[in-house]
């Protein structure tokens, strides 16, 4: 009889130990979530102000992206990479080559770009100051919000309905690890330019 009692007591003890371990893990995870929530946003936020196919330049899709910083850090955005589809090419409007002189630079039309020279990754020029920052009227410094236009090229053979871009955010003071945010969009049917 005493052996049977000991057996059941050991079972109860083991179960209690497992329950205690699970409770401890759950409490630790909850505490971590609370700590992260108390710290506030961990990286800038992304909004898509507008997106759509270009009528003048077949195969090109425009995305106007707004970055907003609600952290107390300053961030640079070194890369924007198209994750899908596999054959998409990406370029920031600020990286499009120009013609003319320094006084009247003109961007090369999208339709004249050699898409074989492009890749799925481009380099935005946007940088963000800490939350509450405002750019000086003379142009120096960085605001806590920035605006960037990206163009994606889809070959005619592409059959796409969704598109995603991953942005990399790096802390300019190198006090925090890089952060990654993905922007996803469902694309409208292609626009075919009417014959003239």
């Amino acid at each position: 009889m005493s052996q049977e009692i000991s057996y059941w007591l050991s079972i109860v003890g083991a179960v209690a130990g497992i329950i205690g371990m699970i409770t401890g893990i759950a409490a630790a995870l909850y505490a971590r979530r609370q700590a992260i929530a108390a710290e506030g946003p961990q990286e800038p936020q992304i909004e898509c102000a507008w997106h759509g196919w270009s009528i003048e330049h077949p195969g090109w899709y425009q995305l106007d992206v707004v970055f907003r910083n609600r952290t107390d850090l300053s961030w640079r955005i070194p890369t924007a990479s198209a994750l899908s589809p596999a054959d998409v090419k990406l370029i920031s409007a600020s990286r499009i080559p120009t013609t003319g002189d320094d006084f009247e630079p003109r961007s090369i039309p999208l339709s004249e770009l050699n898409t074989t020279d492009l890749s799925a990754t481009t380099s935005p020029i946007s940088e963000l100051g800490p939350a509450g920052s405002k750019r000086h009227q003379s142009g120096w410094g960085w605001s806590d919000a920035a605006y960037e236009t990206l163009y994606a090229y889809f070959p005619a053979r592409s059959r796409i309905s969704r598109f995603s871009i991953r942005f990399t955010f790096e802390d300019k003071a190198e006090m925090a690890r890089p952060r990654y945010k993905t922007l996803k969009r469902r694309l409208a049917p292609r626009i075919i330019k009417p014959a003239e």
Side-chain angles (χ1 to χ4, degrees):
M1 183 68 178
S2 60
Q3 290 182 348
E4 185 176 352
I5 293 175
S6 298
Y7 170 77
W8 286 110
L9 287 176
S10 64
I11 295 294
V12 171
V15 171
I18 293 173
I19 293 175
M21 182 176 63
I22 294 174
T23 302
I25 293 174
L29 292 174
Y30 178 77
R32 174 59 179 162
R33 286 196 297 268
Q34 293 296 99
I36 292 175
E39 292 173 1
Q42 299 299 300
E43 67 277 317
Q45 303 302 306
I46 303 174
E47 302 172 14
C48 189
W50 185 86
H51 64 103
W53 292 101
S54 170
I55 298 178
E56 295 297 322
H57 309 291
W60 287 95
Y61 199 85
Q62 178 178 336
L63 298 100
D64 297 333
V65 183
V66 179
F67 307 100
R68 300 186 189 281
N69 187 15
R70 297 294 179 262
T71 76
D72 58 357
L73 302 175
S74 296
W75 301 88
R76 66 173 66 89
I77 310 168
T79 61
S81 301
L83 301 180
S84 62
D87 55 357
V88 66
K89 304 296 181 67
L90 194 64
I91 188 170
S92 170
S94 58
R95 302 298 181 186
I96 296 176
T98 59
T99 59
D101 53 34
D102 293 339
F103 297 100
E104 292 186 33
R106 296 183 298 276
S107 296
I108 295 175
L110 292 172
S111 56
E112 296 181 14
L113 290 178
N114 185 355
T115 57
T116 59
D117 294 336
L118 304 179
S119 70
T121 298
T122 188
S123 301
I125 62 169
S126 296
E127 296 190 16
L128 298 168
S133 300
K134 300 297 180 184
R135 191 163 187 168
H136 195 273
Q137 290 182 349
S138 62
W140 61 265
W142 296 99
S143 170
D144 61 1
Y147 181 92
E148 189 100 23
T149 295
L150 300 175
Y151 293 101
Y153 176 74
F154 299 90
R157 65 180 180 276
S158 293
R159 296 293 181 266
I160 43 92
S161 60
R162 295 178 182 274
F163 179 47
S164 60
I165 303 176
R166 183 178 68 180
F167 295 88
T168 301
F169 295 92
E170 291 183 350
D171 171 19
K172 295 173 67 174
E174 299 182 352
M175 299 176 61
R177 62 181 177 81
R179 308 282 182 168
Y180 304 95
K181 298 279 287 186
T182 300
L183 178 67
K184 299 180 180 180
R185 280 292 173 271
R186 180 185 292 275
L187 306 186
R190 286 178 182 264
I191 293 178
I192 300 176
K193 184 178 180 180
E196 297 180 355

